[in-house]
């Protein structure tokens, strides 16, 4: 889910307030424009900058000293609109995305799915709300505003005993009302998609093209690190929004059939995986560059020339991460207001599952890429390593443990440590004195092997009695490897692990998962440096754990955190990754 998710899907009342703005992202602060020449091909004309508005530094300082802002003061036009509605006596509802468990009597606890009346949204991160007779502070990032603020509470899905939803109440609303609800969601999807395209265009034309004109400041490698494959995403999204608009029924939006569009593009959306995986590197590179003033001034000049809102570049680059995670939320909302008899129902239902799978795939690829550093570190700790690196063919440790290996021709038994990766099984020997030290001995190519379960008793091939045994048989060379576990349950775990290894290889082939040569080399280089340094690398928290903090006399001092992706429960471990996440959320509807 996008973060903070409180602004991801807004009711039409709030949405209407931002229609007159250039991007729909804010509703104040656009009265004054700085008149600057825009170069047709996207080049940053230094002469024009100097002559018309001064140097990049002057432009930046002029912007900072100006009383007018391109941003959304007070947390954004949406937040201002929420408070205006509340002050006018309107009731604003939000829906809980996750459980908020608290022991603080000043905080409002709730469960996922609960509907909360928002009574005060003055603070960006902590809102005051009410559920029945209970009131208190709650984290804004744990809720989202309901698309249909006019939907009566009695028509909202109710929880009955057993935790199941009362379907008779859910579908009890009149058809006209439900059609209007679906219209609201369809309009929201189309509108946010158009705004997102504008946003991507601004990044590609406002930043990337300008940066490429400054070879004295940026190398191609740096630009690839900072912007990743966002240009590929832009091209993909342009095609996607055209497909959506073809399915959009302008006269009767509730009849629009958009589910098929998501199904058609589910494979192409996997390009977000590369972007999400690269995003931490982009943040680190930007952090390094912005320690130098000329880069700060240059990025700010690019933003002003493109007439983009007052958000730093790292904030703009966060939005694709948020966007791909927003689709399951939008589709779930659309499915809720789509009758089973609607022609779009089955496609929307399938699209929701498809987009959840895309998010799962992105999470899985992120985990796999984090694993390659661990694998490289493991290999660097093995003594007497021979042959190619593990990462040349593998990226996942499936299972490991101790087995007795029986070798021809004397049927000699040797105790060895085995590490099963995708595509290969690595054999190591423990040091006789220091059992924590491993020596490389051999490896087996699993792509050529079939696994044979061996019954307890005398084995004909090796002419010995075995127990808890299995074999690896090479189809090409007829070579046979015999292994024995100490216990029957250990043998079963190994047999299951071999099944998982083949399943993982097949899945990688189907999804096209691979690790680039650059990533492999970098992982091995990092492991080598760490190994020579003689000290372990600090363990970092998962990148996608976001935390917001706000110190206020009457507000909680720490905020529980959520995962970006909706598929995992939020953790509550504090982190200083973003000091102010609301600053890094330019794409809000």
């Amino acid at each position: 889910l996008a973060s903070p998710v409180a602004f991801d899907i807004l009711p039409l009342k709030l949405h209407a307030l931002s229609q007159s703005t250039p991007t729909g992202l804010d509703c104040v602060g656009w009265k004054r424009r700085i008149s600057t020449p825009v170069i047709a091909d996207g080049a940053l004309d230094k002469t024009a900058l100097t002559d018309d508005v001064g140097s990049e530094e002057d432009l930046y300082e002029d912007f900072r000293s100006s009383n007018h802002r391109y941003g959304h003061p007070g947390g954004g036009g949406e937040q201002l609109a929420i408070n205006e509605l509340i002050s006018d006596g309107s009731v604003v509802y939000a829906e809980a995305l996750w459980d908020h468990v608290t022991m603080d009597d000043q905080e409002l606890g709730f469960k996922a799915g609960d509907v909360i009346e928002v009574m005060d949204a003055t603070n960006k991160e902590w809102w005051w709300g009410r559920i029945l007779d209970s009131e208190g502070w709650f984290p804004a990032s744990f809720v989202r505003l309901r698309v249909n603020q006019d939907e009566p509470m009695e028509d909202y899905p109710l929880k009955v005993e057993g935790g199941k939803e009362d379907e008779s109440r859910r579908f009890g609303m009149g058809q006209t009302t439900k059609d209007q609800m679906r219209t609201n969601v369809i309009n929201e999807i189309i509108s946010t998609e158009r705004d997102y395209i504008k946003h991507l265009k601004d990044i590609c034309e406002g930043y990337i093209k300008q940066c490429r004109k400054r070879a004295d400041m940026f190398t191609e490698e740096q630009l690839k690190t900072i912007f990743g494959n966002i240009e590929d995403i832009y091209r993909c999204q342009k095609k996607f929004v055209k497909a959506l608009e073809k399915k959009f029924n302008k006269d009767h939006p509730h009849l629009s059939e958009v589910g098929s569009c998501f199904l058609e593009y589910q494979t192409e959306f996997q390009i977000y995986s590369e972007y999400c995986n690269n995003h931490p590197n982009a943040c680190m590179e930007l952090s390094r560059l912005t320690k130098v003033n000329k880069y700060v001034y240059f990025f700010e000049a690019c933003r002003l020339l493109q007439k983009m809102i007052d958000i730093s570049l790292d904030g703009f680059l966060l939005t694709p991460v948020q966007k791909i995670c927003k689709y399951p939320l939008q589709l779930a909302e659309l499915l809720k207001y789509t009758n089973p008899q609607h022609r779009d129902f089955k496609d929307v239902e399938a699209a929701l599952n498809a987009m959840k799978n895309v998010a799962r795939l992105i999470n899985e690829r992120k985990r796999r890429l984090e694993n390659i550093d661990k694998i490289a570190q493991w290999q660097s700790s093995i003594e007497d390593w021979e042959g190619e690196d593990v990462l040349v063919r593998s990226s996942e440790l499936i299972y490991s443990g101790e087995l007795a290996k029986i070798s021809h021709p004397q049927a000699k038994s040797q105790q060895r440590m085995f590490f099963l990766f995708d595509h290969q099984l690595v054999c190591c020997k423990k040091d006789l004195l220091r059992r924590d030290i491993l020596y490389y001995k051999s490896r087996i190519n699993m792509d050529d092997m079939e696994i044979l379960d061996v019954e307890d008793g005398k084995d004909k091939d090796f002419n010995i009695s075995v127990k808890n045994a299995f074999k690896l048989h090479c189809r090409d060379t007829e070579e046979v490897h015999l292994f024995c576990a100490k216990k029957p349950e250990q043998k079963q775990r190994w047999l299951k692990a071999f099944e998982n290894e083949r399943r993982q290889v097949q899945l990688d082939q189907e999804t096209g998962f691979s690790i680039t040569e650059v990533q492999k080399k970098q992982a091995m280089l990092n492991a080598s440096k760490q190994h020579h340094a003689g000290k372990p690398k600090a363990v970092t928290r998962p990148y996608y754990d976001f935390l917001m903090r706000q110190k206020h006399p009457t507000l909680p001092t720490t905020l529980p955190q959520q995962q970006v992706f909706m598929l995992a429960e939020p953790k509550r471990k504090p982190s200083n990754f973003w000091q102010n996440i609301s600053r890094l959320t330019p794409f809000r509807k």
Side-chain angles (χ1 to χ4, degrees):
L1 292 176
S3 175
V5 291
F7 295 130
D8 270 351
I9 297 184
L10 287 172
L12 288 184
K13 286 181 179 179
L14 304 183
H15 174 68
L17 295 177
S18 60
Q19 288 302 295
S20 61
T21 64
T23 63
L25 298 177
D26 60 22
C27 56
V28 291
W30 286 86
K31 294 180 180 179
R32 176 180 179 266
R33 303 285 189 185
I34 295 180
S35 177
T36 53
V38 179
I39 311 305
D41 65 352
L44 182 60
D45 192 317
K46 289 181 67 71
T47 304
L49 273 175
T50 304
D51 294 343
D52 198 35
V53 294
S55 66
E56 292 163 5
E57 183 172 348
D58 293 337
L59 180 60
Y60 176 81
E61 291 301 330
D62 175 68
F63 162 78
R64 288 300 175 199
S65 61
S66 172
N67 290 328
H68 301 278
R69 293 181 61 82
Y70 281 72
H72 27 279
E78 297 90 348
Q79 188 176 8
L80 180 63
I82 296 169
N83 283 303
E84 285 181 353
L85 286 173
I86 294 172
S87 62
D88 289 342
S90 299
V91 180
V92 177
Y93 290 112
E95 181 181 357
L97 295 168
W98 296 295
D99 296 351
H100 179 225
V101 181
T102 178
M103 300 298 290
D104 192 329
D105 57 4
Q106 291 191 4
E107 292 185 33
L108 182 66
F110 47 74
K111 293 184 176 294
D114 286 352
V115 178
I116 304 152
E117 179 185 350
V118 181
M119 304 176 69
D120 182 3
T122 306
N123 186 269
K124 295 178 183 179
E125 296 163 357
W126 286 91
W127 292 355
W128 185 269
R130 175 169 59 198
I131 301 178
L132 299 177
D133 296 330
S134 301
E135 293 186 12
W137 295 107
F138 64 92
S141 60
F142 272 45
V143 304
R144 68 177 177 86
L145 296 175
R146 285 167 54 187
V147 173
N148 297 294
Q149 289 290 326
D150 294 328
E151 179 185 353
M153 283 298 295
E154 57 268 20
D155 286 333
Y156 206 78
L158 297 179
K159 300 289 181 180
V160 295
E161 292 185 10
K164 294 183 178 180
E165 195 175 291
D166 188 345
E167 293 292 331
S168 63
R169 294 297 299 277
R170 173 173 174 172
F171 296 107
M173 67 181 74
Q175 183 62 35
T176 303
T177 303
K178 196 160 190 177
D179 287 348
Q180 183 57 50
M181 304 300 185
R182 193 173 199 273
T183 293
N184 293 352
V185 180
I186 290 289
N187 286 335
E188 171 70 19
I189 291 174
I190 298 295
S191 175
T192 55
E193 209 59 40
R194 289 169 178 165
D195 290 337
Y196 182 48
I197 286 295
K198 170 67 167 60
H199 176 79
L200 292 175
K201 179 181 178 182
D202 284 343
I203 294 175
C204 293
E205 297 186 359
Y207 284 102
I208 299 179
K209 283 188 177 180
Q210 303 284 17
C211 289
R212 283 184 176 143
K213 297 294 181 179
R214 296 299 301 269
D216 58 316
M217 294 178 66
F218 304 96
T219 65
E220 273 301 318
E221 185 178 350
Q222 280 180 310
L223 295 182
K224 181 64 177 176
T225 300
I226 295 171
F227 297 101
N229 63 334
I230 199 168
E231 290 174 303
D232 295 333
I233 291 174
Y234 179 36
R235 285 188 285 269
C236 173
Q237 292 295 148
K238 282 196 293 186
K239 292 188 293 182
F240 177 65
V241 76
K242 286 180 181 178
L244 275 180
E245 288 175 339
K246 286 181 180 179
K247 296 289 185 178
F248 180 53
N249 188 325
K250 295 180 180 179
D251 297 327
H252 305 285
H254 67 282
L255 297 178
S256 301
E257 300 174 27
V258 299
S260 60
C261 298
F262 288 91
L263 291 175
E264 181 183 352
Y265 281 85
Q266 60 176 308
T267 302
E268 292 194 46
F269 283 148
Q270 292 180 13
I271 63 173
Y272 277 86
S273 177
E274 179 183 339
Y275 186 87
C276 294
N277 292 333
N278 176 71
H279 190 247
N281 299 328
C283 292
M284 287 188 288
E285 181 65 17
L286 275 178
S287 177
R288 187 182 69 83
L289 291 179
T290 52
K291 291 177 181 177
V292 182
N293 283 340
K294 72 172 182 178
Y295 287 98
V296 176
Y297 302 143
F298 177 80
F299 288 140
E300 190 62 16
C302 291
R303 185 188 69 78
L304 291 173
L305 286 173
Q306 193 66 19
K307 295 180 171 63
M308 299 169 72
I309 60 174
D310 182 14
I311 300 293
S312 59
L313 178 55
D314 53 356
F316 286 120
L317 295 177
L318 178 63
T319 54
V321 178
Q322 298 171 316
K323 185 61 178 178
I324 194 62
C325 304
K326 180 179 176 182
Y327 285 135
L329 180 65
Q330 289 182 317
L331 289 168
E333 190 79 14
L334 182 61
L335 185 64
K336 185 166 82 171
Y337 298 114
T338 304
N339 281 321
Q341 296 79 19
H342 197 291
R343 291 175 57 181
D344 201 26
F345 183 84
K346 289 185 178 180
D347 280 348
V348 172
E349 191 173 42
L352 174 58
N353 291 328
M355 296 311 297
K356 284 182 178 179
N357 287 334
V358 170
R360 287 192 188 98
L361 177 63
I362 292 174
N363 273 334
E364 175 63 13
R365 289 187 172 184
K366 179 65 184 175
R367 183 188 66 81
R368 294 281 293 278
L369 284 177
E370 290 172 347
N371 278 348
I372 69 171
D373 286 327
K374 299 176 184 177
I375 293 174
Q377 291 168 20
W378 171 83
Q379 181 185 316
S380 68
S381 70
I382 305 298
E383 301 291 338
D384 301 336
W385 185 269
E386 295 179 5
E388 63 185 17
D389 295 331
V390 176
L391 292 178
V392 171
R393 303 190 62 219
S394 306
S395 61
E396 177 88 347
L397 176 63
I398 309 294
Y399 192 68
S400 64
E402 194 166 359
L403 292 169
K405 182 183 180 184
I406 314 297
S407 304
H408 272 311
Q410 297 88 4
K412 182 180 178 181
S413 175
Q414 297 174 317
Q415 287 296 123
R416 295 287 184 261
M417 280 295 299
F418 289 90
F419 299 85
L420 178 61
F421 298 89
D422 53 312
H423 299 288
Q424 59 186 316
L425 178 68
V426 178
C427 173
C428 296
K429 177 185 177 181
K430 288 185 177 180
D431 187 89
L432 292 176
L433 298 178
R434 290 191 55 184
R435 306 298 282 176
D436 59 327
I437 296 179
L438 296 175
Y439 295 89
Y440 174 85
K441 302 304 293 182
S442 63
R443 76 180 85 191
I444 297 173
N445 182 2
M446 294 304 301
D447 294 339
D448 299 331
M449 295 292 164
E450 62 177 339
I451 292 86
L452 304 175
D453 191 355
V454 179
E455 295 182 357
D456 292 351
K458 191 169 184 178
D459 181 75
K460 295 180 181 180
D461 293 333
F462 287 78
N463 197 29
I464 59 171
S465 294
V466 295
K467 191 175 182 181
N468 306 323
F470 60 86
K471 292 178 180 177
L472 297 182
H473 172 249
C474 182
R475 304 179 187 90
D476 297 332
T477 65
E478 297 300 325
E479 183 181 4
V480 178
H481 304 273
L482 177 64
F483 303 89
C484 294
K486 292 181 179 180
K487 298 179 181 179
E489 54 267 29
Q490 292 177 344
K491 170 186 172 179
Q492 293 304 316
R493 290 193 197 105
W494 274 104
L495 294 178
K496 184 66 175 177
F498 287 124
E499 291 179 10
N500 292 339
E501 186 271 337
R502 287 294 90 189
R503 191 179 300 115
Q504 184 68 66
V505 170
Q506 183 179 356
L507 181 62
D508 288 347
Q509 291 173 345
E510 291 173 354
T511 60
F513 175 81
S514 63
I515 299 174
T516 65
E517 291 300 319
V518 173
Q519 290 169 330
K520 294 174 185 177
K521 290 179 181 178
Q522 187 61 49
M524 294 306 301
L525 180 62
N526 293 341
S528 176
K529 289 179 180 178
Q530 175 189 327
H531 184 65
H532 292 310
K535 58 181 180 180
K537 186 179 180 180
V539 178
T540 58
R541 63 168 184 78
Y543 167 69
Y544 286 116
D545 290 345
F546 286 98
L547 180 69
M548 298 186 298
R549 282 188 173 179
Q550 176 73 20
K551 293 188 177 181
H552 190 281
T554 59
L555 290 175
T557 56
T558 59
L559 187 71
Q561 75 177 19
Q562 75 216 32
Q563 295 254 343
V564 167
F565 297 130
M566 64 181 292
L567 304 169
E569 283 294 320
K571 296 181 180 179
R572 298 178 182 277
K573 184 169 62 177
S575 164
N576 293 320
F577 188 77
W578 300 124
Q579 292 299 322
N580 188 353
I581 191 66
S582 59
R583 181 179 65 85
L584 297 176
T585 315
F587 186 74
R588 299 191 290 198
K589 283 295 298 174

